[in-house]
Amino acid sequence: MRRRVGGVGAIQKQQLAHARFKDKGSEMADDQLQQLSKQMETFRSNLQEFAGKYKNKIKKNSQFRQQFQEMCAATGVDPLASSKGFWADLLGVGDFYYELGVQIVEVCLATRHRNGGIMNLDELRRLLIKSRSAGPKQEDIGYDDLLRAIDKLKILGEGFRTIACGSTKDYIVQSVPAELNVDHTKVIQKASTTGYVTITLLTNEFGWEKMRAEKAIFDLIREGLVWVDEQFEGESSYWFPGLQKA
């Protein structure tokens, strides 16, 4: 019986030691969390000081603005979260992107009759710069600015999205609520280099059956994104007017 009592006592001691160890571990974790929180608060404070010092450069220089956005992301700060508040009051950055978003919508609507609702990001930037130059002098806009502004337009539904085709410049902007699947996206990405595709080109490029390529193309035709040329080098070609290089 004594051995049994001793065994129970040893187990109790182990449990007590384990509990103390667990408490100590929780205490250390809490200390580390507090230290990390203090570091983040210090970084945010320095970020605000930096923003106040360079706010004119942030507003006017698109590349500098992109770098600032990346610093903000590292601290969990989103200066675009609202058009009002500290960051908007300090920088006007929130207002800048909301105004840019409105201008993007205007350009997309004005060109939809000829491009079907898709265009290269580079073409969108060119048209925006042209339209903005007609009014008072405004800040420079970069590709990163356009991508951030378009991302904010998601609040309008599925009508606005971007399709990546390579580098930062090589994005396609979709401004119509078309239901695009993976095959449709591949066709558009392929057409981004030449402005058109053919059934033969798609079957050779992706290893698709002819029927699969035709279905993807006919879906895009039905959405009004494609023009058909039946006199192109022996077989029909399918042109995306918004993707043709200016």
Side-chain angles (χ1 to χ4, degrees), residues 9-182:
I11 292 174
Q12 290 176 337
K13 287 182 180 180
Q14 289 179 351
Q15 290 175 337
L16 181 61
H18 180 72
R20 288 175 177 173
F21 182 79
K22 185 177 180 180
D23 290 341
K24 188 63 177 178
S26 298
E27 182 182 338
M28 293 174 62
D30 289 341
D31 289 342
Q32 291 177 348
L33 183 60
Q34 289 179 3
Q35 292 177 8
L36 181 61
S37 297
K38 289 180 181 179
Q39 291 175 355
M40 293 300 291
E41 285 301 321
T42 300
F43 197 91
R44 286 193 181 98
S45 177
N46 292 339
L47 187 64
Q48 292 176 4
E49 183 179 347
F50 175 88
K53 183 176 181 180
Y54 294 103
K55 67 177 183 178
N56 289 331
K57 192 170 183 179
I58 292 171
K59 292 174 66 175
K60 294 179 180 179
N61 187 303
S62 60
Q63 185 175 0
F64 197 82
R65 187 163 52 247
Q66 178 180 353
Q67 294 171 346
F68 173 72
Q69 295 278 7
E70 291 170 354
M71 285 195 297
C72 287
T75 62
V77 173
D78 184 4
L80 310 184
S82 173
S83 59
K84 297 181 180 180
F86 172 80
W87 291 103
D89 293 340
L90 177 64
L91 300 173
V93 174
D95 291 333
F96 168 81
Y97 283 102
Y98 284 99
E99 291 170 4
L100 181 59
V102 171
Q103 293 171 341
I104 289 172
V105 172
E106 291 174 345
V107 169
C108 289
L109 290 177
T111 58
R112 187 176 292 176
H113 68 283
R114 63 178 175 81
N115 61 30
I118 59 173
M119 71 171 75
N120 289 308
L121 187 68
D122 195 50
E123 173 70 1
L124 175 61
R125 181 172 180 266
R126 185 184 69 80
L127 293 174
L128 278 169
I129 291 174
K130 183 178 179 180
S131 65
R132 287 159 65 92
S133 65
K137 183 175 177 58
Q138 300 190 51
E139 298 89 347
D140 180 33
I141 51 174
Y143 296 102
D144 182 75
D145 291 328
L146 295 179
L147 294 175
R148 291 180 187 277
I150 293 170
D151 184 64
K152 295 301 173 184
L153 293 176
K154 289 179 180 177
I155 193 173
L156 300 178
E158 295 299 321
F160 284 86
R161 60 176 289 213
T162 55
I163 301 172
C165 295
S167 66
T168 304
K169 290 184 181 180
D170 295 329
Y171 275 84
I172 293 167
V173 180
Q174 176 190 337
S175 61
V176 289
E179 293 290 338
L180 300 183
N181 60 31
V182 174

Side-chain angles (χ1 to χ4, degrees), residues 82 236 245:
S82 173
S236 296
K245 304 296 183 180

Side-chain angles (χ1 to χ4, degrees), residues 184 199 211-224 226 228 238:
H184 302 147
I199 298 298
M211 185 178 297
R212 181 177 178 179
E214 288 178 339
K215 183 182 184 308
I217 287 293
F218 294 157
D219 288 345
L220 294 171
I221 293 174
R222 187 175 61 249
E223 294 291 348
V226 175
V228 183
Y238 304 94

